[in-house]
Amino acid sequence: MDKINWYPGHMKKTRELIQSNMKMVDLVIEVIDSRIPVASRNPVISELIGSKPEIIVLNKKDLSDKAETDAWIRKLTAGNVTAIPCDCESGAGTSRLMEELSKANEKRNSTKKWDRPLRMMIVGVPNVGKSSLINRLTRRKAAKTGDRPGVTKGKQWMTLENGMQLLDTPGILWPNIEDQEHGRHLAYCGSIKDEIYDISDLCLEFLKFMLKEHREMLYGRYKLDPPAASEEQEEEDSIWGTDDTSGLCGDGVTPVSENGEYTPLGAMEEIARKRGFIMPGKRIDYERCARTVLDEFRSGLIGRITLEHSQEHGDD
Ligand SMILES: Nc1nc2c(ncn2[C@@H]2O[C@H](COP(=O)(O)OP(=O)(O)OP(=O)(O)O)[C@@H](O)[C@H]2O)c(=O)[nH]1
Ligand SMILES: [Mg+2]
């Protein structure tokens, strides 16, 4: 598929905003997506944070594999990083975060000549739940949230009940995503605007990953049968009645299965068929199918899936 890169002007401006506010804050909360703990750590943000105290929130823990998230937390903690798993939808993990913030507050005030409540900045790539976390911490719906990247536009200071101050910032990426696997992971998780890539291509890549690592989940969600069996079934209880179905699947050139397993395209066509995503002329609506599969992954309907495994990232 084409290269994934998204760095509009507002991200450059936000980068400058983060930089200019860095000296004002005592601590940075970097929110990352627990399904992609490597790809969602923006190297530019790490650079801007420098040696400033930092807490990493692995958010959306309700969507990632629990054992994998636990392993990531152990790994990050072993590297002397404070890392906390959270679910900002239910609020799970946020009281642990508040405890860490209180500790940081005490630490700051024990070393400075005058006391004042902690000032913090929340940063991260788009759509990881920064504003949702702010709403949890302030116990108000003060920050606007939404299930697409680029919801927060400008900076916004918020005050917690205990007087601590928090700066919400828009999500940012970096100018050139060199590792395209990271680019795809960010796109699967909704951190990249859907309009900038071909969603059908992206879905095929996602299905390739699912067939390799989580075939059972994919089969379960979309009620897929192994390719050979489904062909037989098609004859028995075709949802298309007695009509000729030969023109239904794709271009008829690309194989739908290989070695008894679906190809990504074969799986996509089967999903489209099961869900009835067929346009006039019996053409498969690939785009609708792609949007559905990715939306269902993003909202956890396919299952709790971590895309990046801690044991494969030894040097992080
Ligand atoms: N399942 C789940 N969804 C979450 C969680 N946290 C946030 N969300 C959802 O993720 C979407 C993005 O949340 P936001 O808080 O707007 O994310 P953001 O990082 O502020 O996004 P930008 O401002 O666009 O950078 C929303 O639909 C939230 O409801 C979580 O822990 N679990
Ligand atoms: Mg936001």
Side-chain angles (χ1 to χ4, degrees), residues 49-89:
I49 294 173
S51 57
K52 190 70 81 177
E54 181 188 19
I55 293 178
I56 295 184
V57 167
L58 275 84
N59 197 34
K60 305 199 180 185
K61 77 177 176 100
D62 54 311
L63 301 179
S64 56
D65 181 281
K66 186 176 182 312
E68 298 262 15
T69 305
D70 290 345
W72 272 110
I73 294 289
R74 280 195 301 277
K75 187 180 178 92
L76 288 161
T77 310
N80 258 337
V81 173
T82 307
I84 301 171
C86 282
D87 163 6
C88 288
E89 289 286 273

Side-chain angles (χ1 to χ4, degrees), residues 31 58-63 86-91 124-133 135 143-153 168-172 298-300:
V31 183
L58 275 84
N59 197 34
K60 305 199 180 185
K61 77 177 176 100
D62 54 311
L63 301 179
C86 282
D87 163 6
C88 288
E89 289 286 273
S90 72
V125 299
N127 202 40
V128 284
K130 300 176 290 300
S131 300
S132 303
L133 177 62
N135 289 343
K144 193 174 164 202
T145 64
D147 62 355
R148 59 191 187 284
V151 171
T152 305
K153 301 285 185 222
D168 190 11
T169 63
I172 60 165
R298 287 170 188 168
S299 53

Side-chain angles (χ1 to χ4, degrees), residues 169-206:
T169 63
I172 60 165
L173 293 161
W174 54 102
N176 182 15
I177 302 175
E178 277 167 15
D179 187 330
Q180 281 296 293
E181 187 173 41
H182 292 175
R184 287 194 297 277
H185 288 179
L186 287 162
Y188 298 158
C189 294
S191 288
I192 296 191
K193 198 163 102 169
D194 278 340
E195 289 72 20
I196 72 126
Y197 49 76
D198 184 318
I199 196 150
S200 304
D201 282 351
L202 186 76
C203 183
L204 286 175
E205 293 288 342
F206 176 70

Side-chain angles (χ1 to χ4, degrees), residues 31-47:
V31 183
I32 64 175
D33 188 319
S34 56
R35 293 167 296 178
I36 49 169
V38 181
S40 62
R41 266 192 101 178
N42 181 340
V44 165
I45 289 181
S46 305
E47 206 176 289

Side-chain angles (χ1 to χ4, degrees), residues 202-245:
L202 186 76
C203 183
L204 286 175
E205 293 288 342
F206 176 70
L207 289 172
K208 192 164 142 189
F209 162 81
M210 288 300 291
L211 287 165
K212 184 163 163 255
E213 295 206 16
H214 299 287
R215 196 175 53 194
E216 298 308 319
M217 276 190 198
L218 189 72
Y219 273 42
R221 176 70 196 164
Y222 297 103
K223 302 188 174 51
L224 303 182
D225 303 305
S230 71
E231 271 163 30
E232 279 166 27
Q233 193 184 340
E234 195 174 295
E235 280 170 28
E236 279 169 27
D237 64 347
S238 167
I239 54 169
W240 317 107
T242 52
D243 284 359
D244 173 22
T245 57

